[in-house]
Structure formats: structure tokens, C-alpha cells
Amino acid sequence: MNGIIAILQWINDLPLSAFIRDWIFAFPSLETVHVIAIVFVLGSITRLDMRLMGLVWQDRPVTEISEEMLPWTWISFVIATIFGLLLWMSKPLTYFAIAFFDVKMILIALAGINMLFFQFVTFRTVGQWDRDPIPPPAARFAGALSMALWLGVMICGRFIGFV
Amino acid sequence: MLQGFTEWLTGTEASAVLSDTTQFATWLIIPVSQCIHLICVAIVMISVGLLNLRLLGVAGARQSFAQLADHLMPWIWAALTVLFITGTIQTVAEPGRELLNIGFKTKMVLLMCAVAITVVYQTTIRKDPKYWDRSPERRKMAQMLASISLVLWIGIAAAGRLIAYLDLRHEQ
């Protein structure tokens, strides 16, 4: 625990952290980019999730939706992460103490695990159900879980600002 | 006039209830409303992103613009309706924070322009699904509208996020 605090303190004392804290335009502008990136992450991943659940675009193959949506998701996720890190380093000790922040990080990790499991296990058989209007239970479950986790990430993120 | 309306709205019972932060249940209204607002922003942004990049010829070539629009337009209008409702809740709760805010005013002006372009998309393809492919001039026009629309929607989202930082009530 003390080790974590020491590392966070060290990050807190970096010149870049101080700059983001002190220059009044830094936080609002970084946060604006962060939020715009997040709505694209959420918007694109939930479209794929809903296709996996058999709720939208039932007449189109799952792989087609996946190829169309995932570039949006990945590019936006990288941008959201970079700008999120910059926001976080301006007050890492404060965020560490906010439960919503910690839960948000755990939910992102869980979303990542869900995605990896889906990619390397469930999605390997996609050839058999690519054109199914309603994919098999494992795929529907992965979609529902992904959607729930990303909505949770967004909700926790929004609530960080209210405590 | 806006000043007077803001003062009147601030004095209403509805505003008092929505901005009451002493009770947990009423305190929750604004963050929950903002979360729903954000989910709908996500729906609108990915939808207009897909539509405009399709018009620009950058992505989504597997479907025609009309096919894509047929699927996405109902999502856009439904999400915009919910955005209007949640936005109204947030405005009634804190009229001065929104109505007298340069970020909010900018957002509303940009929003009207962006919605106008969306209505143009909808009415033209309803008339003729291939409307934007009929001539090189129309293709050029479509690309221009798509570029403007993208900039407008990004601007709307940015102005929306910045409302919180442009709230100068306490400094007056």
C-alpha cells in the first residue's frame, strides 16, 4: 500500500502533472477530448454487442459489423486512454481514494478479459453462426456482458465528478 | 428576456425539487440524467459518424448510404428525443448554469445547424435513395455537408462538456 502511495506521489510531482493541474485550460480541454473519445467507444462497441445479442442488423453477418465497428472502438479507446492518463496524473492520489475511479478501472479490466475470452474462444466458431439473426448463447452472453461493463465504466466515470 | 425567464424558472417548484441536493433521491436525479444523456450522445455520435464517413467515402462501403440511413435515422431521432428530455431536466434544475452560459448557447446554435443537415439527409434519400450519387456536383455537395456535419457534432459534444467550466455564476 505504501509502495502504491509513493508511486502515485511521484507521478503527482512530475512537471507534466503540475502543468495539467496549474494551467486552467489544460484539464477542461483534455477532458473534452477524453469524453468525445469515450462516446465513440461506447457507441461503437454497443452496436457490435447488440448485434451479438441479435437485437440489431440481424440481416448482416456478425463479422461485417465487427470489422466496421472495432476500428472506431480501438482508435477511440487509445485516444480516451491517453487523455485519461493525462487527466489522472494531475491528481492520482485523489482519484485513488475515489471508489468510483477504482471500480471503473476494475470494470475496464473485466471488459478486456471478456473481450479476450470472446475473441479467442467464442469467436473462433463464428463461421458457423456468422449469418444467424440471433447468435448462440455464448455470443449473446458476451455481448450482454460487454454492454453492461462498458455502461458501468461510463457511469462510474461520470460519478467521479460528483464526489 | 432570457435573464427574466431564467430568474422565473429558477423560482419554480420544479426547479427547487430537481436541484434539491439534501435528499439522496433528488441528488441522484442530475447524475443519473447526465448518464442517460451520455448514453444517447454515444448513440448519436456513432450514428452520425458512420453516416458522414459513408458520405465521405471513407468507411461503411458495404451498405449504400440510404441503407445505412434507414437503419440509423430512427436511432438518431429516438436518442435526440431522450437528449432533449434529459437536457431539459438538467436545465430546469439549474437554469442559470445553462441558459446564461456561452457554452450552452453555442451548443444550441450548433445543434440546430447539425439537425438541419440530418433532416436534409433524411428528406433527400426518402425522395430518392440514390440522391447523392446522381451527379458529381451532388457527390461534392454530400462531402461538404458530411464534413460540416462532423465538425458540428464534435463541436456540440465539446461545447456540452465545457458548459461545466463556463458556468460563471459564482464569479459574478
Side-chain angles (χ1 to χ4, degrees):
Chain A
M1 193 67 171
N2 284 333
I4 297 173
I5 301 288
I7 293 167
L8 294 180
Q9 186 65 54
W10 176 77
I11 291 167
N12 182 73
D13 295 339
L14 291 172
L16 181 58
S17 306
F19 171 76
I20 297 167
R21 263 195 309 278
D22 298 338
W23 189 47
I24 58 160
F25 294 112
F27 200 93
S29 41
L30 293 171
E31 194 184 29
T32 300
V33 180
H34 183 64
V35 171
I36 291 174
I38 282 168
V39 296
F40 280 111
V41 173
L42 196 66
S44 58
I45 196 75
T46 50
R47 290 230 133 241
L48 177 56
D49 293 338
M50 286 189 286
R51 176 62 185 93
L52 287 173
M53 285 188 269
L55 298 175
V56 297
W57 272 327
Q58 292 186 342
D59 53 335
R60 302 181 64 199
V62 172
T63 48
E64 200 175 296
I65 309 298
S66 155
E67 279 164 31
E68 247 174 52
M69 291 305 148
L70 291 184
W72 288 88
T73 313
W74 279 115
I75 293 169
S76 312
F77 183 75
V78 168
I79 295 171
T81 305
I82 293 169
F83 284 79
L85 278 172
L86 290 168
L87 293 168
W88 168 79
M89 68 189 289
S90 71
K91 36 187 181 182
L93 289 157
T94 310
Y95 287 126
F96 188 54
I98 298 175
F100 285 117
F101 178 84
D102 301 325
V103 174
K104 177 181 170 179
M105 293 305 119
I106 293 166
L107 293 179
I108 293 174
L110 292 176
I113 294 169
N114 177 49
M115 194 200 67
L116 286 175
F117 183 82
F118 174 74
Q119 195 69 42
F120 291 109
V121 182
T122 317
F123 200 67
R124 283 173 64 174
T125 61
V126 70
Q128 296 158 29
W129 46 271
D130 200 13
R131 290 187 167 274
D132 289 5
I134 299 178
R140 295 208 302 271
F141 179 75
L145 186 59
S146 163
M147 188 150 159
L149 289 169
W150 284 113
L151 285 175
V153 169
M154 189 278 287
I155 290 166
C156 285
R158 181 56 285 201
F159 268 86
I160 291 170
F162 280 91
V163 294
Chain B
M1 197 185 84
L2 199 53
Q3 183 81 41
F5 177 71
T6 305
E7 278 164 23
W8 170 79
L9 194 56
T10 310
T12 58
E13 181 70 20
S15 181
V17 171
L18 293 178
S19 59
D20 178 9
T21 52
T22 60
Q23 304 283 325
F24 179 65
T26 47
W27 172 82
L28 260 185
I29 294 171
I30 295 307
V32 168
S33 172
Q34 289 190 358
C35 285
I36 298 169
H37 202 77
L38 268 170
I39 291 167
C40 293
V41 171
I43 293 171
V44 170
M45 292 295 269
I46 192 66
S47 304
V48 298
L50 288 166
L51 281 176
N52 287 322
L53 289 200
R54 177 67 187 82
L55 273 187
L56 287 169
V58 177
R62 284 201 189 90
Q63 288 185 295
S64 72
F65 177 67
Q67 279 176 316
L68 197 57
D70 271 346
H71 179 82
L72 293 173
M73 283 297 178
W75 285 88
I76 294 177
W77 296 123
L80 282 175
T81 308
V82 179
L83 283 165
F84 180 76
I85 295 167
T86 49
T88 303
I89 291 171
Q90 285 148 226
T91 305
V92 172
E94 296 177 285
R97 178 186 193 258
E98 315 284 346
L99 299 175
L100 306 177
N101 188 307
I102 185 67
F104 178 84
K105 291 176 187 172
T106 307
K107 180 177 171 179
M108 289 306 115
V109 173
L110 298 179
L111 182 62
M112 279 188 272
C113 303
V115 168
I117 293 179
T118 312
V119 171
V120 168
Y121 289 167
Q122 173 129 9
T123 48
T124 48
I125 56 154
R126 188 167 287 172
K127 215 166 50 184
D128 174 7
K130 290 198 156 110
Y131 183 88
W132 298 104
D133 295 319
R134 292 281 179 219
S135 69
E137 289 74 29
R138 282 198 189 160
R139 266 195 289 277
K140 195 164 263 177
M141 180 69 184
Q143 292 186 345
M144 202 175 73
L145 279 177
S147 314
I148 297 170
S149 172
L150 278 176
V151 173
L152 285 171
W153 285 110
I154 298 283
I156 291 162
R161 175 59 272 190
L162 291 173
I163 287 172
Y165 296 100
L166 296 168
D167 177 15
L168 303 175
R169 281 174 303 165
H170 307 298
E171 291 169 27
Q172 278 167 358

